[in-house]
């Protein structure tokens, strides 16, 4: 069996930046894995740092390259690029999921392809790059990663307001308007919501910690189906 500590090396080469091996390993450690291994450090602090680095790099790039856009348009474009869905697509493009260290529960429920885990890990890797190689290298990494997103802003813009995007695409293709139903489970302090949306002949389900987030997740799934058809 291959040594798990060797996993980050090919990822570092794919990223095109020299990241300290311990920092990269930390960036790839999900809290579910950490809890199952005696409470070792996990990647959430690096994720916090990487989120800030990502936001600044994208903001400066958009401001300097799109001088004709007003503040509102710039904000919408930024939100679409740094959204969970967009970052998850970035992660998939570099095969990040196969390198993440997950606990057994997350492993069994498909954690390696969950948008939230992939997006958070991407931010953690950016944070690790900042600490290991400096701000310029971290900014350069961000710009390399998001370049494909900028070529298709409408697709990722759906992640910002999926319910509106779903309603618009349904109207455009002549499907019936989206209809939502929501159920909740669990105690008040840890309630989980499951939303089902039906639009035309498409039925999709989304989960979240609130009715709103569950409906948004369901809407985004349905939008992806209809967008693929369109």
């Amino acid at each position: 069996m291959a040594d798990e500590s060797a996993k980050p090396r090919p990822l570092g080469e794919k990223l095109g930046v020299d990241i300290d091996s311990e920092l990269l390993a930390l960036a790839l450690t999900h809290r579910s894995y950490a809890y199952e291994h005696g409470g070792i450090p996990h990647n959430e602090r690096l994720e916090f740092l990487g989120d800030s680095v990502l936001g600044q790099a994208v903001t400066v790039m958009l401001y300097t390259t799109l001088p004709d856009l007003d503040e509102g348009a710039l904000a919408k474009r930024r939100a679409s690029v740094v959204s969970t869905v967009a970052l998850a697509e970035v992660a998939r493009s570099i095969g990040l999921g196969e390198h993440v260290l997950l606990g057994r529960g997350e492993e069994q429920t498909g954690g390696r392809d969950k948008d939230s885990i992939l997006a958070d890990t991407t931010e953690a890797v950016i944070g690790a790059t900042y600490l290991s190689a400096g701000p310029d290298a971290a900014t350069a990494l961000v710009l390399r990663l998001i370049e494909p997103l900028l070529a298709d802003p409408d697709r990722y813009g759906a992640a910002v307001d999926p319910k509106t995007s779903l309603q618009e695409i349904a109207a455009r293709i002549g499907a019936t308007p989206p209809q939502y139903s929501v159920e909740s489970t669990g105690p008040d302090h840890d309630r989980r919501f499951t939303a089902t949306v039906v639009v035309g002949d498409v039925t999709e389900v989304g989960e979240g910690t609130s009715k709103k987030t569950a409906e948004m997740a369901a809407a985004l799934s349905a939008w992806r189906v209809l967008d693929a058809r369109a």
Side-chain angles (χ1 to χ4, degrees):
M1 181 180 292
D3 183 1
E4 280 191 339
S5 64
K7 280 187 175 181
R9 185 175 299 278
L11 176 61
E13 294 173 359
K14 186 176 291 188
L15 292 169
V17 62
D18 187 16
I19 306 175
D20 175 81
S21 59
E22 291 187 5
L23 275 174
L24 184 53
L26 178 59
L28 298 172
T29 303
H30 188 257
R31 68 177 169 185
S32 63
Y33 182 92
Y35 290 166
E36 289 185 9
H37 290 76
I40 63 175
H42 52 73
N43 64 7
E44 290 183 3
R45 281 174 54 85
L46 283 176
E47 175 197 335
F48 171 78
L49 174 61
D51 177 68
S52 180
V53 174
L54 170 70
Q56 181 181 34
V58 171
T59 299
V60 172
M61 183 275 297
L62 291 175
Y63 182 88
T64 55
T65 60
L66 300 172
D68 296 330
L69 293 188
D70 61 20
E71 183 270 344
L74 288 171
K76 185 174 182 179
R77 185 69 62 89
R78 178 180 60 190
S80 70
V81 171
V82 303
S83 71
T84 296
V85 171
L87 293 180
E89 289 297 320
V90 165
R92 292 185 182 99
S93 74
I94 58 175
L96 185 60
E98 65 189 73
H99 299 278
V100 182
L101 297 177
L102 295 172
R104 290 186 297 274
E106 285 292 355
E107 188 79 66
Q108 293 170 358
T109 57
R112 294 192 182 279
D113 197 46
K114 284 184 180 178
D115 284 359
S116 58
I117 290 177
L118 290 174
D120 292 347
T121 306
T122 300
E123 291 179 337
V125 168
I126 294 169
T129 303
Y130 182 92
L131 293 179
S132 182
D136 290 344
T139 296
L141 173 62
V142 169
L143 297 183
R144 285 199 302 274
L145 291 176
I146 68 168
E147 185 177 6
L149 308 184
L150 299 175
D152 194 7
D154 290 339
R155 177 183 178 192
Y156 298 100
V160 180
D161 188 358
K163 294 183 71 173
T164 299
S165 296
L166 178 60
Q167 189 170 356
E168 290 174 348
I169 197 171
R172 190 165 73 245
I173 66 174
T176 57
Q179 298 292 326
Y180 296 87
S181 60
V182 181
E183 297 180 351
S184 62
T185 57
D188 289 342
H189 68 277
D190 188 24
R191 191 164 292 278
R192 299 288 301 181
F193 293 82
T194 300
T196 301
V197 61
V198 178
V199 52
D201 63 344
V202 173
T203 301
E204 291 292 323
V205 176
E207 297 182 349
T209 56
S210 69
K211 177 181 176 182
K212 179 180 178 180
T213 56
E215 287 183 342
M216 289 176 65
L220 187 57
S221 294
W223 180 88
R224 286 171 170 166
V225 173
L226 295 184
D227 183 64
R229 292 182 181 179

